[in-house]
Amino acid sequence: MPAASPPRGFFMRLNRCTPLVLALASGGLWAQARITQALVFPGGAEVQRATAVAAGAQEAVFACIPNRYDQGGFRAQGVGEVRVGELRVESFDKDAAPECSSTAALDARIRALEDQQAAVTADRQALDLLLGYLKGAGQGEVKGGVQAATGESIRRQGAEALKQQHLLQRRVEDLERQLQPLRLQREAEAGGVDGWLRVSVRVQAPQGGTVQLTGRTAHAGWEPSYRADLDSAKGSVQLERRAEVAQSTGEPWRDVKLVLSTRQPNRAMALADPRPWVLEPLAPRPPVRTMAAAAPAAPMLEKVMVTGSRLAADVDANLPSFQSDFDLQFSVPNPVTVASGGERRSLGLERLNWPVQVFTQVQPAAQAQGYLVARFARPEGFFPSGVVQLMRDGEFVGRTSFGLGHEAEQALFFGPDDRVRVRVEPAQRDGGNAGFIGSRRVLSVKRAYVLENTSGKPLAVQVVEAGPHPQHEDIQVQAQFNPAPALNAWRDLPGVRLWTLTLAPKQSQRLTAEYQLSAPKDMAVAGWP
């Protein structure tokens, strides 16, 4: 089959690109530039690329950089005897720099497959012509030699043509299956890039060396995730750090050194001025209109997850790390490739083991349910907030958000603990609106809870009770508890008591809290039961 003629305008485009082709062929400065390292933060990245310069060179040029980089965030550095000077950034529209297409290799693969598909389709259409001819011959519509052939000969030729037609159709479909992911990959890698940057760096190179260019982009980042595995028998938690890395800069990172940092450059960089503390009369509020029926709540949006292929890169050992006063960095030992688009790389960073105190916490006034808690001393280092998968003695129990506060002691919940049965007795009230003593109104409230250990081993239980706490000298509260709580201000919260119990197997424990509230009868008290 003769080769297809070049499309109209091909030679015109070739002439327009000739200087670029010659630059590539001669090993021009920018043609040798490649991405060597990506320092990735949660919400951004610093991407480093390098090019070699010859002795006596006066300029190093980094071309075809997608315009998804901060134009004011480039910095250059010379390696060896190379010194760098002025740095200039130019911007080009996408159509003005067709040579910068990042999908040239993909385009060539796609064109080759499309050419094969066109050739197979042509063969199939030729068979259609043959089958039409044989059909006409079998019906006596064709004059000449074929009409004299026997019916058996026509049948054999038709059967062979139909088989070939089927095989060619299968080949067309197979080529289409090969083309589809390549087209999607091309769309993902080229999508969203509407322009290019060219960075020129003045250099002094008495000897040959290298120029490194580092640029900042917000179109890359990593999301921290964690896996916490509680060993309740040993009283320890193994915490695994993980990172989900993705980038959409418009250019692939091929075989780069990947460094993950916990630094968060998107946070506020300075304090705002303090606001004066002003005391002034409060204007009376207009009366609130009551509605016959509350409007239905708007549906909550679920968390949007980035989809795409996920390449696991689990490691048995911890990645090499470096901790400064500002961040913790993990360096992936082997070169990593991250495509621009929907691909996410899942990397295991390190595994930590923390001793913990395991107990069941109950807040019966809020919910008649116990929850398993692991309490531990706050570890040193940086732990960006993320999602944690919870494992309890090797079994998956759920997931929740994870983030360490500044307190010396931290707590991690591991879901409901049904080994502790909680029963809340109806609250007893005495007084109400009729409970007036002189010019004051009085109300007594009694709460009672029964906790039972239904398991076959002792359980440590903490019961948290939030009682009334007056914030005005004319409001008085007297409280009695049985048994006496261990803390009267749990976590420095006024009015919040804590009982600490150890329940033997099948043991029950009853707790009571009695409150007597008193306030002037003409005072409206927020929170009055």
Side-chain angles (χ1 to χ4, degrees):
M1 180 179 297
S5 299
R8 179 174 297 180
F10 173 79
F11 293 106
M12 186 178 298
R13 292 196 299 270
L14 181 61
N15 292 333
R16 194 164 56 238
C17 296
T18 299
L20 169 67
V21 175
L22 294 176
L24 286 170
S26 62
L29 295 181
W30 69 268
Q32 300 176 13
R34 62 177 297 269
I35 296 176
T36 56
Q37 175 178 297
L39 176 61
V40 186
F41 317 102
E46 290 185 353
V47 179
Q48 182 185 95
R49 60 196 80 216
T51 186
V53 293
Q58 298 181 355
E59 187 178 59
V61 178
F62 298 82
C64 297
I65 300 176
N67 64 352
R68 293 192 164 190
Y69 288 82
D70 180 6
Q71 295 191 31
F74 287 104
R75 65 180 188 272
Q77 179 180 356
V79 180
E81 298 296 325
V82 180
R83 295 184 179 181
V84 300
E86 178 190 2
L87 186 148
R88 185 174 71 255
V89 181
E90 301 172 272
S91 178
F92 300 91
D93 291 336
K94 183 177 180 179
D95 296 337
E99 65 275 8
C100 289
S101 173
S102 61
T103 61
L106 273 176
D107 291 341
R109 292 175 61 188
I110 290 173
R111 281 196 300 269
L113 289 173
E114 288 175 342
D115 290 344
Q116 294 182 40
Q117 194 179 50
V120 175
T121 301
D123 289 342
R124 187 182 182 281
Q125 291 174 349
L127 282 175
D128 291 341
L129 294 175
L130 176 60
L131 286 170
Y133 183 81
L134 292 175
K135 182 179 179 181
Q139 296 175 352
E141 299 175 0
V142 179
K143 308 295 184 181
V146 177
Q147 188 177 21
T150 64
E152 180 63 22
S153 175
I154 294 177
R155 186 194 67 80
R156 286 198 304 269
Q157 293 182 58
E160 185 64 27
L162 288 171
K163 292 177 183 178
Q164 290 297 323
Q165 187 185 52
H166 174 73
L167 293 176
L168 291 174
Q169 179 61 30
R170 286 287 183 87
R171 180 60 178 156
V172 170
E173 295 172 355
D174 181 63
L175 289 170
E176 184 62 31
R177 281 192 295 269
Q178 297 180 48
L179 281 167
Q180 185 175 4
L182 295 178
R183 289 166 176 161
L184 292 175
Q185 181 180 350
R186 178 174 62 181
E187 182 180 352
E189 291 188 5
V193 178
D194 55 5
W196 304 95
L197 303 176
R198 171 190 169 101
V199 181
S200 304
V201 183
R202 300 290 296 176
V203 300
Q204 293 181 358
Q207 298 179 6
T210 302
V211 176
Q212 295 176 343
L213 180 72
T214 302
R216 295 196 305 266
T217 178
H219 296 272
W222 69 279
E223 295 180 358
S225 63
Y226 304 89
R227 174 189 168 111
D229 196 341
L230 172 65
D231 189 330
S232 57
K234 295 182 179 180
S236 66
V237 164
Q238 183 185 81
L239 185 80
E240 180 185 9
R241 288 179 182 260
R242 298 196 65 84
E244 301 285 337
V245 185
Q247 62 100 357
S248 57
T249 59
E251 58 183 348
W253 298 348
R254 293 192 178 96
D255 296 330
V256 302
K257 179 182 179 183
L258 185 64
V259 181
L260 305 179
S261 170
T262 60
R263 196 186 320 163
Q264 301 183 49
N266 293 333
R267 295 189 302 178
M269 292 292 105
L271 288 171
D273 291 336
R275 301 180 64 181
W277 184 356
V278 178
L279 297 178
E280 58 184 356
L282 185 64
R285 295 182 178 180
V288 179
R289 296 182 179 180
T290 58
M291 304 296 293
M300 297 184 63
L301 293 178
E302 298 181 356
K303 183 180 179 181
V304 177
M305 302 298 294
V306 180
T307 59
S309 61
R310 175 172 297 185
L311 302 180
D314 295 322
V315 292
D316 294 330
N318 295 342
L319 292 185
S321 61
F322 168 78
Q323 181 169 328
S324 68
D325 292 338
F326 303 99
D327 69 345
L328 178 64
Q329 295 184 5
F330 297 93
S331 181
V332 180
N334 299 319
V336 175
T337 296
V338 183
S340 177
E343 177 185 286
R344 294 167 65 88
R345 296 298 301 265
S346 179
L347 302 173
L349 303 182
E350 67 174 347
R351 292 184 176 93
L352 306 170
N353 285 283
W354 299 334
V356 297
Q357 178 189 1
V358 183
F359 57 89
T360 302
Q361 187 180 104
V362 184
Q363 298 182 29
Q367 185 180 8
Q369 175 67 61
Y371 288 84
L372 194 64
V373 181
R375 186 170 61 189
F376 53 94
R378 193 195 191 285
E380 298 293 333
F382 302 89
F383 293 85
S385 299
V387 175
V388 58
Q389 295 186 30
L390 301 173
M391 307 290 294
R392 189 165 67 194
D393 297 325
E395 298 292 336
F396 176 75
V397 295
R399 64 180 61 201
T400 186
S401 59
F402 176 79
L404 297 181
H406 299 289
E407 296 83 1
E409 286 193 341
Q410 303 287 316
L412 189 60
F413 283 82
F414 282 84
D417 189 354
D418 296 325
R419 298 174 301 176
V420 177
R421 184 177 298 155
V422 182
R423 181 166 57 89
V424 180
E425 298 180 358
Q428 300 180 14
R429 300 169 181 266
D430 184 15
N433 293 331
F436 292 98
I437 301 178
S439 60
R440 302 182 66 83
R441 54 174 173 168
V442 179
L443 175 64
S444 296
V445 178
K446 181 177 180 180
R447 297 173 177 173
Y449 318 113
V450 178
L451 284 75
E452 179 184 359
N453 177 7
T454 63
S455 72
K457 57 183 180 181
L459 295 178
V461 181
Q462 291 189 358
V463 182
V464 180
E465 166 75 358
H469 175 66
Q471 295 190 349
H472 192 279
E473 59 182 5
D474 288 339
I475 303 174
Q476 300 175 3
V477 174
Q478 295 181 356
Q480 292 184 348
F481 304 94
N482 185 26
L487 291 176
N488 286 318
W490 177 69
R491 297 181 61 181
D492 296 327
L493 296 174
V496 180
R497 274 83 175 183
L498 175 70
W499 284 285
T500 59
L501 311 171
T502 300
L503 296 180
K506 311 303 180 182
Q507 179 189 0
S508 296
Q509 175 73 54
R510 188 171 186 268
L511 309 175
T512 61
E514 298 184 46
Y515 305 101
Q516 187 179 65
L517 287 64
S518 173
K521 63 180 181 180
D522 57 351
M523 176 184 288
V525 180
W528 189 272

